[in-house]
């Protein structure tokens, strides 16, 4: 039973355009959400996060939007660059676990940015 | 070191053997997590350490799996009587403190193959 769902296994966009990666969750106890980027043979690298008390967080070309009522978040990358090509994971942690902020992960979306 | 390191990077073993996987977290990070990532999946939580103690080992699949962190720094994940289903990438992450908002930094992982 996937508590964090990334329904698009892959996405292809043109360089310079916007990439939108989507994530849905089912657990209402999740209060912190993160996006990680992963290249082959490397560990995940943190990109951006958002607390459940916010609906938007921006860092350079990356913006994460959170819609709590819909239990949905999205990552926007503008403008997309070929170096952004990687697998993007959505992850969440729950206040129910206290100080243990173990991450619950989606299956990932493979982004290809074409020159 | 600058980041989380894991050794070995690759481990091939035979069914029934014992293996140890090592994680060196970022210096000063008190929280340490182990995750396991199977092909085509997102990482799955195994165990969480706060300091020297295993604060949550609920993700360990069975009693063949055990992990230690005797001095609150380096951690070793130990797998007894390995099975083919244990084949996966084992990821270690550390964070400066426990609790929400503390980003987890990941190592490159150990790819375990059980023949």
């Amino acid at each position: 039973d996937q508590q964090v769902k990334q329904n698009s296994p892959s996405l292809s966009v043109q360089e310079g355009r916007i990439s939108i990666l989507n994530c849905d969750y089912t657990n209402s106890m999740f209060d912190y959400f993160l996006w990680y980027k992963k290249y082959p043979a490397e560990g995940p690298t943190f990109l951006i996060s958002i607390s459940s008390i916010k609906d938007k967080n921006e860092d350079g070309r990356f913006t994460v939007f959170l819609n709590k009522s819909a239990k949905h978040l999205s990552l926007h990358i503008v403008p997309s660059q070929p170096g952004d090509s990687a697998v993007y994971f959505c992850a969440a942690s729950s206040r129910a676990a206290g100080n243990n902020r173990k991450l619950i992960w989606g299956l990932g979306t493979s982004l290809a940015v074409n020159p | 070191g600058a980041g989380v390191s894991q050794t070995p990077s690759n481990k091939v073993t035979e069914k029934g053997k014992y293996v140890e996987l090592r994680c060196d977290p970022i210096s000063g990070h008190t929280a340490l997590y182990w995750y396991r990532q199977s092909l085509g999946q997102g990482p799955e939580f195994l165990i969480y350490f706060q300091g020297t103690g295993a604060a949550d080992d609920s993700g360990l699949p069975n009693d063949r799996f055990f992990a230690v962190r005797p001095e609150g720094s380096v951690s070793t994940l130990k797998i007894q009587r390995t099975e083919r289903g244990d084949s996966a990438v084992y990821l270690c992450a550390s964070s400066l403190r426990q609790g929400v908002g503390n980003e987890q930094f990941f190592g490159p992982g150990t790819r375990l193959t059980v023949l």
Side-chain angles (χ1 to χ4, degrees):
Chain A
D1 179 32
Q2 284 286 124
Q3 296 185 65
V4 176
K5 301 176 185 178
Q6 293 178 257
N7 292 320
S8 297
S10 63
L11 176 68
S12 182
V13 300
Q14 286 299 118
E15 181 178 6
R17 306 294 285 269
I18 183 171
S19 295
I20 300 176
L21 297 100
N22 293 304
C23 178
D24 296 289
Y25 63 95
T26 58
N27 189 341
S28 59
M29 297 295 281
F30 287 151
D31 63 350
Y32 198 66
F33 304 89
L34 307 90
W35 285 93
Y36 279 81
K37 174 180 178 181
K38 188 179 184 303
Y39 294 116
E42 295 185 10
T45 302
F46 171 76
L47 264 182
I48 192 168
S49 61
I50 188 166
S51 165
S52 60
I53 62 173
K54 296 186 175 181
D55 56 16
K56 178 182 174 181
N57 189 26
E58 190 173 354
D59 183 1
R61 296 186 298 115
F62 303 90
T63 303
V64 55
F65 295 92
L66 175 62
N67 182 333
K68 280 181 62 180
S69 61
K71 292 191 175 68
H72 176 83
L73 62 156
S74 60
L75 174 67
H76 293 209
I77 307 174
V78 182
S80 302
Q81 300 173 352
D84 295 331
S85 298
V87 177
Y88 288 77
F89 287 96
C90 174
S93 67
S94 168
R95 61 178 177 270
N99 284 323
N100 175 5
R101 283 290 161 168
K102 63 184 179 185
L103 299 176
I104 309 301
W105 300 73
L107 297 183
T109 296
S110 179
L111 173 66
V113 180
N114 305 308
Chain B
V4 178
S5 62
Q6 292 186 246
T7 54
S9 56
N10 280 284
K11 176 70 177 178
V12 180
T13 189
E14 293 179 343
K15 181 175 178 294
K17 299 290 189 183
Y18 168 83
V19 297
E20 290 190 352
L21 312 179
R22 176 187 168 110
C23 171
D24 277 272
I26 294 172
S27 178
H29 279 199
T30 61
L32 186 145
Y33 299 81
W34 283 98
Y35 295 85
R36 176 168 77 171
Q37 185 174 18
S38 301
L39 195 62
Q41 303 292 314
E44 293 179 310
F45 168 77
L46 294 176
I47 187 169
Y48 158 64
F49 286 90
Q50 182 55 42
T52 60
D56 182 353
D57 64 358
S58 63
L60 296 178
N62 51 61
D63 61 5
R64 296 187 296 106
F65 289 75
F66 189 70
V68 296
R69 195 185 185 201
E71 297 178 358
S73 177
V74 170
S75 177
T76 304
L77 178 65
K78 308 180 180 191
I79 311 175
Q80 298 177 320
R81 305 182 304 280
T82 51
E83 299 177 357
R84 292 193 180 89
D86 299 335
S87 297
V89 175
Y90 289 80
L91 293 164
C92 176
S94 68
S95 65
L96 183 60
R97 286 179 292 273
Q98 60 185 354
V100 65
N102 288 286
E103 170 194 338
Q104 293 179 31
F105 294 85
F106 282 80
T110 294
R111 180 174 295 279
L112 174 66
T113 303
V114 182
L115 301 177

